Amino acid sequence: MLRFTKYIRRMPIHWQIWVAALFLTNMGAIFFVPRPEALVVLLGLFAGAVLQAVIFARLGFVRLLGLGHFHWFAMITWLVVRLDAIRDDPTFHYWVFAVVIVCALSLVIDTIDVARYVLGEREPTILPTKKSPDGRP
């Protein structure tokens, strides 16, 4: 995971800010545990990290990393359904709404990236500074 973070730090600054905003918005869930919405968001964040770690370990920093967020389609749908039921807690409601917006925007970016990968753009978007002996990042 440390290597993955080093790659993120080599991204253009606007992408670094976006990744930080996405991560921090989702990590806001820790303030709302044990509410089920918060637990689902934390589980979704963890699942995405695992999926992206596997893709990164095998292929490097490629556009296919966007697959690590595709389970968010289900999460966002469920969170949207939950919005009416949580209106009585404005702070929590606004946080869930923010998660929906930020994750939905991320899914737009991820869908485009995965489509570009499927269409042939398979080279890493950030190249390793040094290759390991076995050629992995």
Side-chain angles (χ1 to χ4, degrees):
M1 203 58 176
L2 185 58
R3 268 188 327 161
F4 186 74
T5 304
K6 287 180 181 179
Y7 275 68
I8 290 172
R9 289 191 355 238
R10 291 177 37 217
M11 295 171 79
I13 190 69
H14 64 280
W15 287 118
Q16 290 182 51
I17 292 168
W18 171 250
V19 169
L22 182 63
F23 179 75
L24 291 173
T25 302
N26 280 274
M27 281 302 293
I30 63 174
F31 297 109
F32 301 107
V33 169
R35 298 198 63 163
E37 298 84 357
L39 294 172
V40 166
V41 171
L42 286 174
L43 180 62
L45 189 62
F46 177 73
V50 170
L51 288 168
Q52 288 183 326
V54 169
I55 294 167
F56 177 74
R58 294 181 186 230
L59 302 172
F61 207 90
V62 295
R63 295 185 183 282
L64 198 58
L65 287 168
L67 282 179
H69 295 150
F70 272 34
H71 59 284
W72 284 356
F73 282 107
M75 180 185 79
I76 289 170
T77 302
W78 182 71
L79 290 175
V80 167
V81 169
R82 297 289 305 143
L83 281 172
D84 278 340
I86 61 173
R87 284 198 188 275
D88 60 327
D89 184 345
T91 303
F92 183 61
H93 182 266
Y94 290 130
W95 171 74
V96 170
F97 185 75
V99 168
V100 167
I101 296 302
V102 170
C103 290
L105 289 171
S106 181
L107 281 173
V108 170
I109 295 165
D110 293 334
T111 301
I112 292 167
D113 272 350
V114 170
R116 289 173 69 178
Y117 184 88
V118 168
L119 292 172
E121 290 185 45
R122 298 187 178 196
E123 59 281 339
T125 55
I126 298 176
L127 297 172
T129 54
K130 291 192 247 183
K131 285 224 178 217
S132 62
D134 62 359
R136 294 183 327 164

